[in-house]
Amino acid sequence: GLEDLRLVQFTEDDGKKLFYGTYTAFSGRDVGCEMMTTERFSEFNLTPLRGAAAGQKGLALFPRKIDGRYCAIGRLDHESLFFLQSDDRFVWNYGKRVMGPKYLWELVQMGNCGSPIELDEGWLLLTHGVGAMRQYSMGAVLLDKKDPSKVIGRSVEPFLTPVDETREGYVPNVVYTCGMLRVGERLLIPYGVADSAVRFISVRIRDMLASLS
C-alpha cells in the first residue's frame, strides 16, 4: 500500500515549480519511504528513497532549497523530529535533532504533519503527538528561517485533539493530517478522524503563532 502523502509545490533554483510528494510504501512486510514527482498531475514518477532516513515514516520536504541544499523534516529514532539536508533529493541520511517528546500529549512519539510553510517569522510546521492510549493530537512548531534546526516556539497544548464523537472509528483516538494550505492570512487544514472521516479547520496564522511558546 501507499499512504500518508506529504505533497509540496517545490520551487527549483531556476524558478521551475514541480510537485514533490513523499509517502510511506508498505510491501506487506517492509516499510520504506518513496517520492512522487509530477508537474501537471497527468504523469508521475515514483522513486524509492535511499539513506538512513528512508526506512522511517513521515519525511516532509521544505518547499525550496536552503543554502543550496534540499531540506526535510523527518525521524531517525522513531520518536523525535530531525532536520535533514541533502544534495540529492532521493538520498536522506543523518541530520540534527530538532525536538523530541516533552509534554504528556506527545510523550510516546512525535512526527510532522506535512511540509512547513514559509512565513516572515520563520518556518511553520504542524506536528502530531502520540500520548496515552495511543491518542494522536496535533500541534505546531515555528523554526528559525535561516537555520530550521532551531526552535523558536512550540505548542504546549495541542490545538486539535480527539474528543467525543471524533474518538470513534476504524482507528480510534486519532486526528491526523499530512499538510496544510495557506490562504491569505489563514491556514486551511484538512484532517482525518479515526481513519473514518475527513474534516477541515481554518485558523488565523497570527493566532497559531501566538499559541506557541
Side-chain angles (χ1 to χ4, degrees):
L2 310 177
E3 63 182 21
D4 293 345
L5 176 68
R6 286 157 165 81
L7 186 68
V8 65
Q9 186 179 46
F10 191 93
T11 303
E12 293 284 5
D13 293 338
D14 60 2
K16 184 177 182 180
K17 294 183 182 296
L18 295 168
F19 289 93
Y20 296 149
T22 51
Y23 59 89
T24 299
F26 181 57
S27 69
R29 183 186 64 185
D30 300 316
V31 174
C33 192
E34 298 186 357
M35 183 179 294
M36 178 194 79
T37 303
T38 187
E39 187 172 358
R40 298 183 181 88
F41 289 91
S42 57
E43 295 181 354
F44 303 87
N45 292 321
L46 306 180
T47 308
L49 301 185
R50 306 185 304 277
Q56 300 287 335
K57 292 184 176 183
L59 187 76
L61 292 177
F62 282 68
R64 63 172 176 84
K65 290 181 180 179
I66 300 175
D67 294 331
R69 307 187 75 193
Y70 293 101
C71 299
I73 293 289
R75 277 201 303 243
L76 291 171
D77 62 0
H78 301 286
E79 67 175 24
S80 306
L81 295 179
F82 288 77
F83 176 64
L84 311 172
Q85 292 180 291
S86 178
D87 296 318
D88 183 338
R89 63 187 172 92
F90 299 118
V91 180
W92 297 94
N93 282 299
Y94 300 99
K96 184 175 181 180
R97 187 176 184 271
V98 174
M99 59 190 291
K102 182 176 182 181
Y103 303 107
L104 288 177
W105 62 276
E106 60 190 14
L107 204 54
V108 174
Q109 185 183 67
M110 292 193 67
N112 70 69
C113 283
S115 295
I117 286 181
E118 186 172 8
L119 305 174
D120 291 339
E121 295 84 353
W123 295 99
L124 180 63
L125 177 72
L126 298 186
T127 65
H128 69 261
V130 183
M133 304 299 292
R134 296 295 294 176
Q135 176 171 288
Y136 279 66
S137 301
M138 289 164 52
V141 59
L142 185 67
L143 305 176
D144 186 83
K145 197 163 186 176
K146 292 184 177 180
D147 182 2
S149 68
K150 295 180 179 179
V151 173
I152 297 175
R154 66 187 287 180
S155 295
V156 176
E157 298 288 343
F159 69 84
L160 192 65
T161 192
V163 293
D164 301 328
E165 74 277 7
T166 63
R167 290 186 182 276
E168 301 299 326
Y170 182 68
V171 181
N173 263 7
V174 172
V175 290
Y176 190 83
T177 187
C178 288
M180 58 180 165
L181 181 67
R182 181 177 183 177
V183 183
E185 296 306 311
R186 303 186 71 89
L187 300 174
L188 178 64
I189 306 171
Y191 65 98
V193 178
D195 273 18
S196 301
V198 174
R199 296 186 177 185
F200 294 84
I201 59 171
S202 176
V203 59
R204 290 185 298 184
I205 293 174
R206 69 171 181 266
D207 291 339
M208 179 72 80
L209 295 177
S211 72
L212 308 180
S213 62

